[in-house]
Amino acid sequence: MDPLTEDREFYEVIRARYCARPYEAKPGVWVRCGSRLKAECESCAELYRGDWAAIARSGIFDEDGSVVEGYRYAFLTLTAPSFGKVDETGAAVDPTTYDYIGQVTWNFASSALWRSTLHRLHRQFSGIAYFAVIEAQRRGVRHYHVVLRIPEAEAPLFPDLIGKVARAATTQYAGTVIEWGTQLDCRYISAATDTARGEMAQTVWYVSKALGYALKSIAEDDLAPEFGPAGSPHVAHLRSLAAAARNDLWCPRCPVNGPRDCTAPVHGNFGASAQVVLYARGSKNRPSWSFVGLTRTRQREERTMWMRAEIAAGRREQRNGMSEQERQAAEWIRANRHLRHDPRPAEEPCASRAP
């Protein structure tokens, strides 16, 4: 192994363990940045992904690791319509005819389309609960990976009915009808069989992997015109999307002089909101996704309680905020960014950006 490869491997190990962007919460007290973007902080993003993976599992498995019976579980994939032909990298084949404005508009309105879809699903299946991850395809458009849990008494014999209910959902934005694309798929994950646990675990792994893709981001330098011409048709495609979201997408927060001066995050994220995970939180008449009421707030509280117990038992030292070693590791990570592997491997279909 050459020295450069060894240095890169060591860098990746340190970056995965330590927060790269701690901040001073109060004088002398430094804490983790809490970023969910891998390009900003690999360690905090992985913690974020692991938290959501645990919440996903808590809506399928009981405390013993067995699939909770009495439900049918389905996997629903919702995609966007076509806005023009793209190549294998996600770049427009003909940029002059590609509907960039239509795509960023769909990204912006997809949240309302998802709410319309949920409304229809709840009307059809009153006991339904869901866990969804929103991922960006390489062409820069959002698509949804959704795990559905339906009581057996309500679940249809074939999952096609669930897909038909979702496909019928529509919404409108600026006089345009917004709907899902034709590549909508729904299938049951498993029934109550001996293989159910393995199939469910594989589904959670797949959703967690999709979340990992969703936490990646395109570097700002790749899209900023002042850094020179686009290095590839794919980057040029993303630049065109970014320009359409900044110059042509009107959101409720836009000032009267147009979207260019609007500070809403959607203008910096190809029209999409920054949210990448959605799940049923429950209400008086609707079930929550997690059987044990697991939330990220509860996870943070449990980590704090664990740390306090460790300190009380003498297994960890009492300190306020991050240690000096952790701060030095963060400085070393920032100083050696040139050792990073390419954060955008060709096989990973990601085109998300930091809001």
Side-chain angles (χ1 to χ4, degrees), residues 101 105 108-109 171-178 248-251:
I101 298 177
T105 299
F108 178 73
T171 188
Q172 286 195 3
Y173 179 77
T176 301
V177 176
I178 305 296
D248 302 303
L249 177 66
W250 285 78
C251 77

Side-chain angles (χ1 to χ4, degrees), residues 9-25:
E9 294 296 333
F10 180 72
Y11 177 84
E12 293 299 325
V13 170
I14 298 299
R15 192 166 72 98
R17 179 174 180 179
Y18 295 99
C19 175
R21 303 169 68 232
Y23 67 93
E24 197 170 14

Side-chain angles (χ1 to χ4, degrees), residues 7 35 66 68 78 174 273 341 343:
D7 288 343
S35 174
S66 300
V68 177
L78 302 167
S273 69
H341 290 297

Side-chain angles (χ1 to χ4, degrees), residues 131-177:
F131 183 93
V133 170
I134 307 171
E135 181 189 351
Q137 294 177 322
R138 288 194 65 82
R139 57 176 172 148
V141 73
R142 295 173 17 134
H143 68 297
Y144 292 62
H145 302 284
V146 189
V147 182
L148 299 172
R149 187 183 70 225
I150 307 174
E152 286 185 345
E154 298 183 31
L157 183 60
F158 300 104
D160 293 350
L161 177 59
I162 304 173
K164 288 180 180 178
V165 173
R167 187 176 286 109
T170 61
T171 188
Q172 286 195 3
Y173 179 77
T176 301
V177 176

